[in-house]
Amino acid sequence: KKRQKTPWEFQSFDRVRDAHGQGASQGSFGPGAKGFEKATTYTVMLLAFEHLLRLNELVRTQTGTAADKDPLQYADVRFFGRGGRLLGWQQNGQPVGDPVVMVVRMPPSKMDQMGASEVTLRSPFPRGWERGEAPNAAGPAMWRYMTRFPVTRGRAGITPLFRVHQTLQSARLTKSVYTRVFNELCRKADIQYSQYGIHCFRVGGMNRLMDLGATAPQICAMGRWQGDCWQLYARRERSRLEGLTLEMSQGQASA
């Protein structure tokens, strides 16, 4: 049962948002510590699904993993506007500008123990994201999260991207806290949460890509699976891969 890899379904994001009210589509899951925990966990879910990540690459587990060598910090997230212009930040740490893509450093992983590949995760902003369209897109979700819970640039390099408490001194989000909040989100949405493990979003994202008609090399490239074919494809077809990332967050898959 521990090795079970039940995929998280794309439609389940809609069920979670619908169960938590209109504000959930804008990243608001209520006030206080509970609201922060849910917003953090939900953003983790979107990022993991869109980039086929293992949860232990985003949250801290009891047994050390490669990602613990250099975990993500606030400073590892950058937003770019049209023409590739790097966007800035307000004094309090909120992002400003008109974003078209989010770029996040890939932490060390199972296949890249030292993080030497310098892979970046790119999340396009779908059209109409400001109006709440394509609510499953990770880029807009992160923009809203960082706007709601800003961190000054002076602390961005030492503050975990996902943390347990809203305070800037908080430690990195742990698997135990993530799991508790994930179960709460699912319970309210009437989703059976016990079937999901740390690979559920990685497998679910792969299934989503298959539904969209992605080829095996494309899926391998986006999931960073072992083997040299994905590396060649990732170098030659970067724009196509970004297009698939955009499609993942929009509408239903074609039959």
Side-chain angles (χ1 to χ4, degrees):
K1 186 175 180 180
K2 288 183 179 180
R3 298 181 63 85
Q4 185 171 319
K5 296 183 179 181
T6 302
W8 176 265
E9 299 295 337
F10 177 77
Q11 295 81 3
S12 295
F13 284 117
D14 297 332
R15 293 177 62 181
V16 169
R17 282 195 313 277
D18 291 345
H20 287 81
Q22 187 174 3
S25 62
Q26 294 297 317
S28 175
F29 287 82
K34 283 289 186 182
F36 175 78
E37 287 181 342
K38 289 184 177 181
T40 300
T41 297
Y42 188 71
T43 307
V44 168
M45 293 163 60
L46 289 174
L47 187 62
F49 184 88
E50 187 168 286
H51 291 292
L52 282 62
L53 295 170
R54 304 171 185 86
L55 278 176
N56 56 15
E57 292 166 347
L58 297 176
V59 305
R60 182 167 60 84
T61 57
Q62 288 183 330
T63 55
T65 64
D68 293 326
K69 298 174 182 176
D70 190 12
L72 292 174
Q73 311 291 329
Y74 250 63
D76 290 318
V77 177
R78 295 175 294 161
F79 297 102
F80 291 85
R82 302 194 182 281
R85 182 174 63 88
L86 179 63
L87 300 183
W89 307 81
Q90 293 182 3
Q91 188 174 1
N92 70 343
Q94 291 179 316
V96 293
D98 185 15
V100 297
V101 66
M102 174 185 75
V103 177
V104 183
R105 170 182 66 85
M106 176 69 195
S109 64
K110 184 178 180 181
M111 294 294 103
D112 182 18
Q113 295 283 326
M114 302 305 295
S117 66
E118 299 184 355
V119 170
T120 57
L121 309 175
R122 297 177 60 87
S123 294
F125 280 62
R127 291 181 179 178
W129 70 270
E130 308 97 322
R131 301 187 297 274
E133 297 179 22
N136 295 337
M142 186 68 74
W143 179 276
R144 290 189 287 265
Y145 181 76
M146 290 185 150
T147 298
R148 186 175 297 274
F149 309 110
V151 172
T152 61
R153 289 289 91 186
R155 295 193 59 89
I158 58 173
T159 301
L161 178 58
F162 300 115
R163 55 197 194 275
V164 176
H165 305 295
Q166 188 173 344
T167 59
L168 298 183
Q169 294 76 24
S170 172
R172 184 181 173 205
L173 181 65
T174 62
K175 182 187 175 184
S176 60
V177 173
Y178 165 86
T179 301
R180 172 176 57 79
V181 180
F182 172 78
N183 292 351
E184 292 175 5
L185 290 172
C186 290
R187 191 181 299 113
K188 189 164 185 176
D190 197 23
I191 296 173
Q192 179 53 255
Y193 53 82
S194 61
Q195 60 186 316
Y196 297 114
I198 65 172
H199 289 81
C200 69
F201 299 107
R202 183 167 170 81
V203 180
M206 180 187 71
N207 288 351
R208 174 67 174 166
L209 287 170
M210 291 175 64
D211 291 342
L212 292 170
T215 65
Q218 288 172 332
I219 293 173
C220 286
M222 295 188 72
R224 302 159 302 281
W225 267 277
Q226 192 173 22
D228 55 5
C229 66
W230 74 265
Q231 298 182 38
L232 175 63
Y233 194 94
R235 287 196 298 269
R236 295 181 58 184
E237 302 291 341
R238 179 64 61 186
S239 60
R240 171 58 178 155
L241 293 178
E242 194 165 310
L244 282 169
T245 303
L246 187 65
E247 290 184 59
M248 287 182 76
S249 64
Q250 302 183 81
Q252 300 296 320
S254 57

